[in-house]
């Protein structure tokens, strides 16, 4: 950009800017993710990945001026950081990452009139993946583009806990899509583990889920399944609103609550809703050693 190499993830460019060059990097140099000595150099990437337990009504990406929904990155403040109270060294490691002044930088990024409601947030972090507005749970942020690519790859499992009930009505959006009716509630989840299933008007079939199983089943007065319950889904693909749509369009079930609890080897654990923390060295190494690719 204007003769300078842009290294910061999420750098904004004026739409009238014309002096932009994209230079293809040598494959050998761009293969950093498969080089454990480079990607796992803790002194270079310490603090580069943080996880947030996202509440409902926050968007994963940019602010939503039309509906007024704030971006989840606004929660990455000093007040919201979480320190686990354990004895395995995690507390001291995370405390040093935060207080050393070498790894995390905060600044006021949003221009609200009310300064008391505009605390400083982490600089240069962008979400690696997304969660719907009405979904909660584990959302990963990073300032390293190569790390983001690894997290977004379809070789990493994403685990969700989903509360469901029988579908009652077709939505206006579904009618606009051409859906005239939805299936009756289906208890058998094995259909999601097979190839070839498509969402409505989607030309590309979904990839089979890694796992789909009931962890709690609702029972009626007769002791039979009543269409309600809680399901664990593990998948590697991440189409827009995929879980909600496949529940409605394939299983005849409506999603009441959807929470992501794990990305790869990183689990949300006891991270409170609305709080965040950095990943430890052990967690980062585990995340990148899941696959040689």
């Amino acid at each position: 950009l204007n003769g300078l190499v842009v290294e910061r993830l999420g750098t904004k460019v004026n739409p009238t800017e014309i002096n932009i060059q994209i230079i293809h990097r040598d494959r050998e140099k761009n293969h950093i993710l498969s080089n454990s000595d480079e990607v796992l150099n803790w002194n270079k990437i310490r603090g580069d990945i943080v996880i947030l337990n996202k509440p409902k009504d926050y968007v994963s990406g940019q602010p939503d001026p039309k509906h007024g929904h704030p971006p989840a990155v606004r929660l990455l403040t000093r007040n919201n950081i979480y320190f686990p109270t354990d004895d395995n060294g995690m507390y001291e490691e995370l405390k040093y990452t935060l207080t050393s002044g070498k790894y995390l930088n905060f600044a006021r990024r949003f221009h609200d009139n009310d300064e008391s409601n505009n605390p400083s947030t982490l600089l240069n972090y962008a979400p690696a993946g997304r969660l719907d507005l009405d979904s909660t749970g584990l959302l990963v942020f990073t300032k390293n583009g190569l790390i983001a690519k690894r997290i977004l790859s379809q070789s990493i499992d994403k685990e969700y806990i989903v509360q469901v009930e029988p579908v009652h009505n077709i939505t206006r959006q579904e009618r606009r899509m051409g859906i005239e009716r939805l299936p009756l509630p289906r208890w058998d989840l094995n259909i999601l583990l097979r190839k070839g299933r498509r969402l409505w008007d989607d030309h590309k079939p979904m990839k089979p889920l890694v796992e789909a199983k009931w962890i709690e089943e609702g029972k009626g007065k007769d002791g039979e399944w009543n269409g309600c319950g809680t399901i664990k889904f593990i998948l590697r693909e991440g189409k827009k609103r995929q879980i909600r749509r496949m529940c409605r369009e394939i299983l005849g079930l409506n999603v009441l609550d959807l929470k992501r609890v794990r990305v790869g080897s990183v689990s949300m654990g006891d991270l409170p809703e609305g709080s965040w923390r950095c990943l430890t060295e052990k967690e980062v190494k585990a995340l990148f050693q899941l696959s040689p690719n």
Side-chain angles (χ1 to χ4, degrees):
L1 177 63
N2 293 326
L4 300 176
V5 176
V6 177
E7 297 181 341
R8 182 164 66 86
L9 186 66
T11 297
K12 294 182 180 180
V13 179
N14 191 311
T16 61
E17 181 62 62
I18 60 173
N19 191 7
I20 301 174
Q21 290 178 292
I22 300 176
I23 303 173
H24 176 70
R25 302 180 74 188
D26 183 84
R27 181 178 178 85
E28 191 83 18
K29 295 179 180 178
N30 204 30
H31 214 185
I32 186 172
L33 289 185
S34 63
N35 186 332
S36 60
D37 291 338
E38 288 293 333
V39 75
L40 299 181
N41 186 330
W42 187 236
N43 289 328
K44 291 184 178 180
I45 66 170
R46 183 171 190 151
D48 278 8
I49 313 176
V50 305
I51 57 173
L52 167 74
N53 185 350
K54 185 188 90 70
K56 290 183 179 180
D57 297 326
Y58 281 83
V59 293
S60 299
Q62 296 298 316
D64 181 4
K66 182 177 179 181
H67 299 100
H69 299 301
V73 72
R74 283 200 175 199
L75 296 171
L76 304 183
T77 66
R78 286 188 177 90
N79 289 339
N80 289 340
I81 194 167
Y82 175 69
F83 292 101
T85 54
D86 56 21
D87 57 357
N88 63 4
M90 180 183 288
Y91 174 84
E92 292 299 328
E93 181 178 343
L94 295 179
K95 183 179 178 181
Y96 177 77
T97 302
L98 176 66
T99 60
S100 67
K102 300 178 182 178
Y103 306 105
L104 304 178
N105 296 300
F106 295 83
R108 285 184 174 167
R109 300 175 54 192
F110 305 99
H111 304 290
D112 292 346
N113 293 328
D114 182 6
E115 292 192 1
S116 64
N117 195 34
N118 182 24
S120 298
T121 60
L122 276 178
L123 277 176
N124 305 330
Y125 285 77
R130 63 186 303 276
L131 272 176
D132 295 332
L133 180 71
D134 44 359
S135 299
T136 64
L138 185 62
L139 185 60
V140 181
F141 287 84
T142 181
K143 58 182 178 181
N144 186 310
L146 294 173
I147 291 176
K149 182 178 179 182
R150 171 70 179 108
I151 295 171
L152 292 169
S153 74
Q154 294 188 2
S155 63
I156 286 189
D157 293 348
K158 286 87 175 176
E159 181 178 337
Y160 301 82
I161 303 299
V162 182
Q163 185 180 353
V164 297
E165 66 175 359
V167 164
H168 298 297
N169 300 298
I170 295 177
T171 65
R172 271 187 282 182
Q173 175 62 26
E174 288 168 338
R175 291 189 187 279
R176 283 195 292 266
M177 293 166 59
I179 298 177
E180 297 181 355
R181 65 182 221 170
L182 294 169
L184 294 173
R186 178 195 292 266
W187 177 86
D188 185 4
L189 304 177
N190 288 326
I191 191 172
L192 301 174
L193 306 179
R194 298 194 290 265
K195 294 181 179 179
R197 299 301 307 185
R198 285 183 173 87
L199 297 175
W200 182 263
D201 77 0
D202 194 342
H203 300 294
K204 188 177 180 181
M206 295 188 303
K207 293 189 176 181
L209 270 61
V210 177
E211 185 177 346
K213 73 175 186 179
W214 291 96
I215 57 177
E216 184 180 346
E217 299 178 31
K219 301 291 184 181
K221 293 180 180 180
D222 57 359
E224 298 294 322
W225 177 61
N226 61 6
C228 299
T230 305
I231 307 173
K232 178 172 77 171
F233 290 121
I234 299 179
L235 59 157
R236 289 175 181 160
E237 195 173 27
K239 295 184 177 182
K240 185 177 180 180
R241 299 184 73 83
Q242 177 176 338
I243 292 178
R244 295 179 186 274
R245 288 190 59 190
M246 73 185 185
C247 281
R248 292 183 64 85
E249 298 171 24
I250 299 175
L251 301 177
L253 300 172
N254 180 57
V255 172
L256 295 173
D257 187 70
L258 189 156
K259 177 182 290 187
R260 183 161 61 202
V261 296
R262 181 173 64 84
V263 173
S265 58
V266 178
S267 296
M268 189 166 61
D270 58 356
L271 183 65
E273 188 173 273
S275 296
W276 66 276
R277 68 172 178 84
C278 298
L279 291 192
T280 64
E281 181 177 9
K282 182 179 179 181
E283 288 175 314
V284 172
K285 288 184 175 180
L287 183 63
F288 281 89
Q289 289 172 354
L290 283 174
S291 167
N293 296 320

